[in-house]
Amino acid sequence: MKSKHDLTITDIRVIVSSPGRNFVTLKIVTKCGLYGVGDATVNGREQAVAAYLKEHVTPCLIGRNAHEIEDIWQYLYKGVYWRKGPINMAAIAAVDVALWDIKGKAADLPVYELLGGKSRKAIATYAHATGSTIDDTLDKAEALFAQGFTAVRLQTAVPGLKASYGVLGDKKDYFEQQSSRPLPPEEPWSTRKYMNSIEDLFRQARSRFGTEVQLLHDVHSRLTPIEAARLGKMLEPYDLLFLEDAVAAENQDSYRIIRDHTTTPLAIGEIYNTIWDCKELIQNQWIDYIRTATTHAGGITALRRIADFAALFHVRIAPHGAPDLSPICYAAQAHLGIWAPNFGIQEFVGFGSDKSNEVFSYDLTLTEGMIHVGDSPGLGVDFNEEAAAQYPYNRSYLPVSRLEDGTLWSW
Ligand code: GCO
Ligand code: MG
């Protein structure tokens, strides 16, 4: 069918900006003037994706028909020869999301309508409560429940360690924390200290908040499979919605070991790039939630496939939603989440900072801990290039983690 819009791709812009923290944004412009935006942010490696997009992707796309999302996806995935990988897949994701945005605008429909329409009214989220002590964490959780959230991830500094991931210390928020790191800071880790202190957090949380609220926890891949199995058993009485990243799963069958020992639901996937990274986890039903992000696992086209595959095995999607995922990623995931029959929950740490809100606009609203998706055509997001120009790239890194004897550990 002949489109009433000329969607020949005429211009592609790659913008690296730092409105509070670094984002890599892609803008694809078509002949009729319709354009779409995509997120390609890989935290701590932003310039690598930007160079890849500028030098190796955009020249191949000029002149193509923006309607052909599937063919362009396959072209960038199979055509690269060296498939997969975080840089490649973030670049594909940004192109894919921008093309869905354009298709929606051309059809004058929100992207969720193109996916098959709404399966629910709004998207459930879980917020973060991270404190320097158990009381601090639980006070923060209480404030979130008071705002209407019904699910909260609890993290507390490990007693006896100088720093713990996610604990902000004197920093106002994640944005300020990350932008103060021109080189990777080093943080200590002790599995023994963690295992000796973690149960108390959840015991106190349940005794303070009761059984109605949902609680989650992120292990950040610090344990071995058998340690994770023990943790899952230890936390069973506190009825977690899920335990995240208990083990780094380069070996997907590590999760079999955990699964054999505990009924605590398991989630993983924020660092995965493709469906292949989670294929065995899903088809063996070793996990309950798959947490791949549109930005890091190939966009809406790829996440839709992961969601459909996961649905066959009772696995639900719970996409990553940390602050390094831009509002464009949130929008893409919101459209997917409102459609996916097997949507579980969306991680949510706010749509952005005051600075990032000058640069990104979005048609999403949060009420009572739920994200409501507006009916703007496309993804309903926009990126203000002039505002972004005020905030140049600022090199910054995630921390690295070491055991107390100096051994480098998983972050
Ligand atoms: C999460 C995460 C993040 C990541 C960060 C990496 O579950 O929200 O684990 O805190 O560490 O997004 O860039
Ligand atoms: Mg995580």
Side-chain angles (χ1 to χ4, degrees), residues 245 359 399:
D245 287 0
V359 172

Side-chain angles (χ1 to χ4, degrees), residues 43 128 153 218 220 244 270 291 320 322 324 347 398 411:
N43 197 1
H128 285 195
R153 191 188 88 165
D218 187 353
H220 247 265
E244 173 183 334
E270 66 180 51
R291 302 196 60 259
H320 189 203
D324 45 307
E347 183 181 23
L398 290 164
W411 198 74

Side-chain angles (χ1 to χ4, degrees), residues 215-280:
L215 304 176
L216 304 92
H217 182 63
D218 187 353
V219 186
H220 247 265
S221 311
R222 303 288 172 96
L223 302 179
T224 64
I226 203 67
E227 289 164 353
R230 190 178 143 237
L231 177 66
K233 272 172 93 164
M234 192 196 282
L235 297 181
E236 267 172 33
Y238 314 104
D239 185 23
L240 267 60
L241 180 68
F242 61 67
L243 185 64
E244 173 183 334
D245 287 0
V247 170
E250 280 101 340
N251 290 323
Q252 295 182 41
D253 57 4
S254 293
Y255 272 72
R256 183 181 50 76
I257 300 174
I258 313 175
R259 199 59 150 183
D260 280 350
H261 293 281
T262 178
T263 57
T264 293
L266 303 170
I268 189 165
E270 66 180 51
I271 68 165
Y272 289 163
N273 312 130
T274 70
I275 194 167
W276 306 105
D277 300 331
C278 46
K279 178 174 153 265
E280 291 162 45

